[in-house]
Amino acid sequence: MIELLLCTLIWGASFIAQKLGADHFGPFSINCYRNLLAGPFLLLCLVVRNRRLRQLDRMIPPGPGEGGSNNRAIEQSEHSNNRAALLGGALSGLCVFAAEVAQQVGIEHTSPGVSAFLTANYVLLVPVFGVVLGRRAGWGVWSGVLLAIAGSFLICFPDVSRSASDLRLGVGEVWTLLCAALFAVQILVVDRFAPGSDMLRFSLVQMSVAGLVALPFVFLPSEVARASWPGFVKGIPALIWLGVISSGIAYTLQNLGQAKVPAAYASIIMSLEGVFAAIFGWLILGDILTVQQLSGCALVFAAVILSQLCQRSDGSK
């Protein structure tokens, strides 16, 4: 669970970097660059990790009947279900790319509050899709889902009487719901392939695929019109945070966490992203948190606590 909490904490803080980066990059460019930047970072982590394992391996004396160096640790790491890591990472990367595109298209036709709330509905779609796949969810999951959605609604719409009137089914809302569905599929893909996979390899493939598939979109006229060298230089700090911390580290933490926590419970924990985003907006940007938003944060926290209590009683994973 701690990996998922750290993941959502990073993603919540990343909203600020996204806001700052949007001043210097087009929506497709920033998603492409951040994911491509995550690739070399994860590759470096993989090389350092394997080198460290080899060093530790040489320090362990061979067991009885084992000639030469004891290579069990590094072999287990390097050959830990590589096929699952490659296939799962590629599928997850495609989902990440498609979800990001759908979200960017959707937000051009709707408000940020509506976009954030509808995207958070992956917390509902994960158990719904799970039922289709034959994974029945208990009452604890559905109770947590309802609390998380209600809390997300209050967080995303500080002034319910005014902002919620924007919540209608138009082009932007349809694209954003598609984004939520794609993120739900991504969570289920990770749930399927993460256990037993080498998480660094999984994340490396995931981010590389997401970045490479997005690369052609960088040359769209709307993206090229916003590109400039001074803007690129000014946007480097935001890009480094989004690439290394948000894409590189946070997605790896998600993969590690989901190797231990069922998808439905994981999605409820990750709904804390909206809570952390609101808190960081208050601490760093000076955004004012309304009573309704604070109530929403409390509901999401309650959803996470309830889901964890129910998971322990179920004995899942």
Side-chain angles (χ1 to χ4, degrees):
M1 177 180 173
I2 186 65
E3 294 93 345
L4 292 174
L5 286 175
L6 289 173
C7 165
T8 56
L9 179 65
I10 291 173
W11 282 341
S14 296
F15 276 102
I16 297 173
Q18 286 178 303
K19 185 174 183 179
L20 296 175
D23 295 334
H24 309 291
F25 302 100
F28 294 106
S29 297
I30 194 170
N31 284 326
C32 174
Y33 297 154
R34 63 181 285 187
N35 293 330
L36 288 180
L37 179 60
F41 168 74
L42 289 168
L43 180 60
L44 176 62
C45 291
L46 183 64
V47 171
V48 172
R49 192 277 309 271
N50 287 350
R51 183 175 299 174
R52 179 60 177 165
L53 285 176
R54 289 190 180 93
Q55 292 174 346
L56 292 174
D57 182 71
R58 287 194 291 267
M59 296 172 61
I60 301 175
E66 295 179 354
S69 175
N70 180 359
N71 292 316
R72 290 191 302 258
I74 187 62
E75 287 179 0
Q76 181 181 5
S77 170
E78 290 183 343
H79 303 291
S80 174
N81 207 345
N82 279 335
R83 182 178 178 183
L86 291 173
L87 178 59
L91 291 175
S92 182
L94 289 173
C95 290
V96 169
F97 160 75
E100 289 175 346
V101 171
Q103 188 176 48
Q104 293 296 344
V105 174
I107 204 170
E108 292 180 1
H109 301 280
T110 189
S111 68
V114 171
S115 177
F117 171 68
L118 291 180
T119 301
N121 275 265
Y122 67 77
V123 71
L124 170 63
L125 295 176
V126 168
V128 169
F129 291 168
V131 171
V132 175
L133 296 175
R135 303 177 184 179
R136 297 182 61 183
W139 68 269
V141 170
W142 295 112
S143 300
V145 165
L146 292 177
L147 285 174
I149 291 178
S152 298
F153 180 84
L154 293 177
I155 293 171
C156 296
F157 299 111
D159 188 347
V160 175
S161 61
R162 293 175 56 188
S163 301
S165 61
D166 296 333
L167 194 58
R168 59 186 183 278
L169 193 61
V171 174
E173 287 72 22
V174 171
W175 275 101
T176 310
L177 285 173
L178 176 60
C179 161
L182 290 166
F183 273 129
V185 172
Q186 187 261 347
I187 291 172
L188 290 171
V189 168
V190 174
D191 183 73
R192 167 64 178 83
F193 290 98
S197 296
D198 184 318
M199 286 298 98
L200 280 178
R201 283 187 172 85
F202 189 104
S203 298
L204 172 60
V205 174
Q206 175 182 253
M207 292 296 97
S208 298
V209 169
L212 289 173
V213 176
L215 187 58
F217 290 85
V218 173
F219 301 100
L220 289 174
S222 59
E223 298 289 311
V224 174
R226 298 185 59 178
S228 68
W229 178 248
F232 182 86
V233 172
K234 291 180 181 178
I236 286 178
L239 192 60
I240 291 176
W241 174 275
L242 292 172
V244 174
I245 308 299
S246 183
S247 288
I249 295 178
Y251 272 106
T252 303
L253 288 171
Q254 179 203 355
N255 299 336
L256 287 168
Q258 281 200 240
K260 308 172 186 176
V261 179
Y265 293 106
S267 66
I268 295 174
I269 297 173
M270 288 189 287
S271 67
L272 283 169
E273 178 184 356
V275 175
F276 291 132
I279 292 175
F280 280 112
W282 168 59
L283 291 174
I284 299 177
L285 300 180
D287 294 341
I288 299 176
L289 290 177
T290 67
V291 174
Q292 289 174 164
Q293 285 179 304
L294 292 173
S295 301
C297 293
L299 285 177
V300 176
F301 276 119
V304 172
I305 293 172
L306 176 63
S307 69
Q308 290 308 294
L309 292 175
C310 292
Q311 183 190 354
R312 291 177 182 177
S313 65
D314 291 343
S316 303
K317 278 193 181 180

